[in-house]
Amino acid sequence: MKKRQSFLSYGKQTIDETDIAAVVETLQSPFLTQGPKVEEFEQAVADYVGAKYAVSFSNGTAALHGACFAAGIGKGDEVITTPITFAATSNAVLYCGGKPVFADIDADTYNIDPNEIRKKVTLKTKAIMPVDFTGQPVELDEIMQIAEDYNLVIIEDGAHSLGASYKGRKVGSQAHMTMFSFHPVKPITTGEGGVITTNSMEYYEKLQLFRSHGISKTPYSLEQGDWYYEMTELGFNYRMNDIQATLGLSQMKKLDQFIARRQEIATLYLKKLAKMQGVRLPTQLDGTESGWHLYTIQLDEQAIGKTRRKVFDEMRAVNIGVHVHYIPVYWHPYYRKLGYNKMICPVAEHWYERALTLPIFPEMTNSDVEEVVESLKEVLEN
Ligand SMILES: *Cc1c(COP(=O)(O)O)cnc(C)c1O
């Protein structure tokens, strides 16, 4: 089989000269942290998604931690989420002393199934953390209805879905809080970084407190000197800095282009893989526009006469960076120790055994796509 000269990773950032020039300018400015760029970036993200507020964090995981704090998650509270996500989603619940409860996925969208969420609601349920897996928005209308029925907080994990839309509206304006991550493989990057968007002033204020030691910025009476401040909550140092925010601002200008290119690649895959035996392609929910963060196919081992593991190894051997997203979270040893057993979510587990992620990122060329398709054909046919 033909081997690619260089390894094609499943995802990576796009950084150009304008990004570099912008960051250099900030490095030469008086502010490296907490200067004007952080607020400018927050405003740009809030405006883009159509939310009132955005609060930035040092990374997406810290942002999820902040959202769980703002939602008041504490000891004994249950939070319903999907097992097909990065561990950071449910870890944020654990940080606050809460209990993640895993609800099964929909076999077509791979996203959490609203009917399964309803089955898992108890008197202890306080929030739902749906994840827009691969960039495809979750069924927000139904999930918001569940929130209303049971008085729950929705914290949407949009790590994959900045730029995606649900029924004509950008992800990030409808859930009570939405998290976006700016890790280099995500839709745009700040190196490390994250944000929570919200329309709630109450959450906005709590998030600001939490990311900066629990110290409030409220001006105090004139009796106090200018040095004075008060710490009112046990917060963290989870702030984003001006260097990161500058890169983020520059990247935001290119977000729509990035998403458009990801869509093009997804369309190419659809065209070229549609007739391949034993391969199931991702489907799009009506009324949603995916951000195509990941392109995940499913392999029917029986139909192709080869295991997923063998396909994975053979693709890697020719430098095609296939991957598998994600191991069901509750399978991890830490979760097993907490008492989670296998088979909590059978649809998710069945799906995981067959899943394979193909490379997709804005700088990928059509000939890269061609190489992935040709290699996959060869691997499946031989
Ligand atoms: C990347 C990611 C996170 C965590 O974001 P970081 O910025 O890496 O901390 C959380 N959830 C999902 C689904 C992710 O993909």
Side-chain angles (χ1 to χ4, degrees):
M1 258 179 74
K2 218 174 106 211
K3 184 173 175 177
R4 261 184 71 93
Q5 273 199 322
S6 61
F7 184 74
L8 181 70
S9 68
Y10 80 89
K12 80 183 206 2
Q13 72 275 18
T14 303
I15 300 284
D16 66 15
E17 291 302 321
T18 61
D19 295 316
I20 294 166
V23 170
V24 167
E25 197 176 309
T26 292
L27 284 170
Q28 291 163 333
S29 80
F31 300 104
L32 297 187
T33 63
Q34 302 309 106
K37 295 296 179 187
V38 167
E39 276 182 32
E40 263 180 64
F41 177 56
E42 289 172 337
Q43 194 59 52
V45 174
D47 289 347
Y48 180 88
V49 303
K52 275 197 189 140
Y53 310 102
V55 181
S56 60
F57 284 82
S58 47
N59 57 66
T61 306
L64 285 173
H65 188 187
C68 285
F69 168 83
I73 307 300
K75 205 168 156 44
D77 293 333
E78 294 179 0
V79 178
I80 300 171
T81 190
T82 170
I84 301 301
T85 183
F86 184 53
T89 315
S90 48
N91 286 353
V93 177
L94 295 177
Y95 296 158
C96 295
K99 182 182 170 203
V101 172
F102 295 97
D104 216 338
I105 62 167
D106 178 284
D108 291 326
T109 65
Y110 323 154
N111 275 333
I112 197 166
D113 181 342
N115 296 320
E116 296 298 316
I117 295 177
R118 281 193 189 271
K119 290 185 199 161
K120 297 285 168 109
V121 173
T122 72
L123 288 172
K124 291 180 181 162
T125 308
K126 194 132 189 186
I128 305 171
M129 289 173 90
V131 178
D132 304 319
F133 176 63
T134 73
Q136 162 141 260
V138 289
E139 296 188 63
L140 261 184
D141 281 353
E142 283 183 64
I143 293 173
M144 293 309 289
Q145 186 58 50
I146 299 171
E148 212 176 295
D149 293 347
Y150 299 100
N151 195 25
L152 308 174
V153 182
I154 305 299
I155 303 169
E156 186 173 359
D157 181 334
H160 300 179
S161 62
L162 182 65
S165 47
Y166 178 77
K167 300 195 176 167
R169 288 173 69 184
K170 293 279 187 225
V171 168
S173 61
Q174 291 157 84
H176 300 117
M177 288 180 266
T178 305
M179 182 279 279
F180 297 110
S181 162
F182 309 120
H183 177 281
V185 296
K186 305 292 161 77
I188 62 161
T189 190
T190 61
E192 292 272 6
V195 83
I196 299 289
T197 60
T198 183
N199 291 320
S200 153
M201 168 92 108
E202 183 196 333
Y203 292 148
Y204 172 67
E205 287 176 347
K206 282 186 178 160
L207 291 163
Q208 283 197 322
L209 263 184
F210 188 76
R211 72 160 171 199
S212 201
H213 309 283
I215 289 172
S216 101
K217 292 203 292 191
T218 324
Y220 293 92
S221 72
L222 288 173
E223 286 160 46
Q224 304 291 352
D226 197 38
W227 70 83
Y228 192 76
Y229 58 81
E230 280 181 2
M231 184 197 128
T232 54
E233 297 278 358
L234 185 60
F236 289 75
N237 180 352
Y238 274 170
R239 294 183 306 258
M240 178 179 275
N241 65 47
D242 258 36
I243 306 168
Q244 292 166 295
T246 301
L247 180 54
L249 269 167
S250 179
Q251 290 262 301
M252 277 303 284
K253 294 183 190 143
K254 290 168 278 192
L255 173 58
D256 285 340
Q257 268 166 262
F258 291 165
I259 300 289
R261 179 58 191 154
R262 285 175 180 276
Q263 269 165 355
E264 267 173 27
I265 295 167
T267 308
L268 268 178
Y269 273 140
L270 175 66
K271 234 168 42 199
K272 293 176 184 290
L273 298 175
K275 293 202 186 88
M276 217 179 269
Q277 276 290 315
V279 173
R280 197 168 149 199
L281 303 181
T283 46
Q284 283 231 52
L285 197 67
D286 268 355
T288 67
E289 295 248 14
S290 178
W292 294 108
H293 167 61
L294 299 174
Y295 196 88
T296 298
I297 61 172
Q298 282 174 277
L299 299 173
D300 181 342
E301 295 184 337
Q302 255 163 2
I304 61 182
K306 225 179 225 186
T307 62
R308 189 257 314 257
R309 172 63 197 272
K310 197 137 198 317
V311 174
F312 180 94
D313 288 346
E314 289 180 13
M315 292 293 277
R316 282 287 180 99
V318 292
N319 268 340
I320 307 285
V322 289
H323 216 291
V324 174
H325 298 92
Y326 290 100
I327 303 159
V329 171
Y330 58 79
W331 280 17
H332 287 296
Y334 187 83
Y335 279 81
R336 300 296 292 274
K337 262 193 310 197
L338 290 178
Y340 292 87
N341 290 317
K342 285 209 173 182
M343 289 315 280
I344 299 172
C345 301
V347 179
E349 295 190 17
H350 179 74
W351 177 84
Y352 161 70
E353 305 277 10
R354 304 151 66 98
L356 188 74
T357 301
L358 303 182
I360 189 167
F361 55 91
E363 278 186 355
M364 206 176 154
T365 64
N366 288 3
S367 80
D368 290 331
V369 176
E370 197 64 50
E371 277 185 302
V372 174
V373 170
E374 285 310 310
S375 302
L376 188 64
K377 256 189 202 152
E378 274 191 60
V379 166
L380 296 188
E381 282 164 10
N382 294 302

